[in-house]
Amino acid sequence: MKTNKLIVALDVETAPEALKLVSELRGIAGMFKVGMQLFTSAGPTLVREIISSGERVFLDLKYHDIPNTVALAGVEATRLGVSIFNIHASGGGEMMRRTADAVARCADAEGLARPSIIAVTVLTSANANTLGELGGTSSAKDLVGRLALLAEASGMDGVVASPREVGVVRAAVKKPGFIVVTPGVRPAGAGLDDQKRVATPREATLAGADYVVVGRPILGASNPAQAAQEIIEEMEINSATSAA
Ligand code: C5P
């Protein structure tokens, strides 16, 4: 199992707030996620600063554009030194393939580490109504399975999926080492915020998630380090139980 499955979403407004959380959670969080709010506010300078302080970054910008544009954005994410970045599987196979190829070529040519590229299947805030609004007739589960298979066939290293759909991904994709990252994780008793297809950290890892992403339950806690530690402990009990 991975040493630390917890990715903390740095969903804050400014670089100083983000850096304060990084220092409070150093040695507790396995990775820090920089998403569109913080990246729009603080940009690549902050990402470089977090990485040069020795921490790993998941760049969560969910690229979705024409294949050439996404591939070139992926090259810049590689140069930035992030450990993981993501793109929308619904952007299609060509977009994912071209990105995987461009990233591998850039990493080889420039002697850089190749980041893992993961594909967003169906957002954890989406439910049947949301899919219906978009004209979809498939259930979230069917769509997640289909997009996960497409992502695997298109050279992705893994997917982002709701904890409730990890089983669907594992059943569909047999590739060893295929990463499943699950947001929409809520410790028992925590509020849901805008997340709809949620599970506890224990349920997410028992279902086979490699990483869980947690934002508001940690950021909104009076003691973020303690909240993060409790989530890790819950997942460790879980691994010990499943290994037994
Ligand atoms: O605060 P909360 O724990 O809901 O944060 C979840 C984080 O994971 C947010 O930064 C959100 O953008 C991200 N995310 C998500 N669903 C996805 C992909 C990413 O909630 N499918």
Side-chain angles (χ1 to χ4, degrees):
M1 81 138 215
K2 304 224 167 35
T3 48
N4 190 337
K5 296 176 172 220
L6 178 66
I7 302 179
V8 175
L10 295 174
D11 291 335
V12 292
E13 287 180 16
T14 64
E17 285 171 275
L19 291 169
K20 180 170 177 280
L21 278 165
V22 170
S23 77
E24 284 173 7
L25 297 170
R26 193 181 297 287
I28 302 174
M31 210 180 300
F32 292 95
K33 185 173 84 65
V34 175
M36 55 179 80
Q37 177 192 15
L38 184 60
F39 193 81
T40 304
S41 134
T45 307
L46 172 68
V47 174
R48 282 190 204 97
E49 199 170 339
I50 298 172
I51 294 170
S52 59
S53 80
E55 298 298 331
R56 302 172 74 209
V57 169
F58 166 18
L59 187 65
D60 176 24
L61 297 180
K62 300 187 182 69
Y63 299 131
H64 186 165
D65 206 318
I66 58 171
N68 186 59
T69 301
V70 174
L72 294 177
V75 164
E76 296 310 329
T78 306
R79 290 177 174 151
L80 204 47
V82 302
S83 298
I84 304 180
F85 75 90
N86 59 3
I87 70 185
H88 269 285
S90 53
E94 186 190 346
M95 188 193 84
M96 290 189 274
R97 268 192 313 279
R98 293 258 307 260
T99 305
D101 289 350
V103 162
R105 271 200 311 275
C106 164
D108 278 355
E110 299 179 21
L112 303 169
R114 195 182 70 79
S116 298
I117 313 173
I118 60 176
V120 177
T121 53
V122 178
L123 293 175
T124 41
S125 57
N127 59 14
N129 284 343
T130 326
L131 297 180
E133 279 172 355
L134 302 176
T137 49
S138 318
S139 67
K141 273 198 164 51
D142 288 348
L143 196 53
V144 169
R146 198 161 63 236
L147 291 172
L149 270 178
L150 178 64
E152 179 203 17
S154 310
M156 296 292 99
D157 299 295
V159 289
V160 185
S162 130
R164 297 196 196 168
E165 277 115 35
V166 179
V168 176
V169 175
R170 294 290 181 214
V173 179
K174 298 299 178 201
K175 185 176 164 189
F178 195 72
I179 303 167
V180 181
V181 176
T182 60
V185 172
R186 289 290 178 270
L192 296 192
D193 306 303
D194 57 347
Q195 299 287 15
K196 300 196 175 73
R197 303 194 327 283
V198 301
T200 65
R202 177 181 169 78
E203 288 163 342
T205 46
L206 261 185
D210 295 296
Y211 294 100
V212 300
V213 175
V214 186
R216 287 164 287 187
I218 293 175
L219 309 190
S222 53
N223 183 340
Q226 188 188 332
Q229 193 61 54
E230 282 169 10
I231 290 172
I232 290 170
E233 277 159 21
E234 186 181 331
M235 293 191 291
E236 278 169 0
I237 294 169
N238 179 24
S239 314
T241 314
S242 50

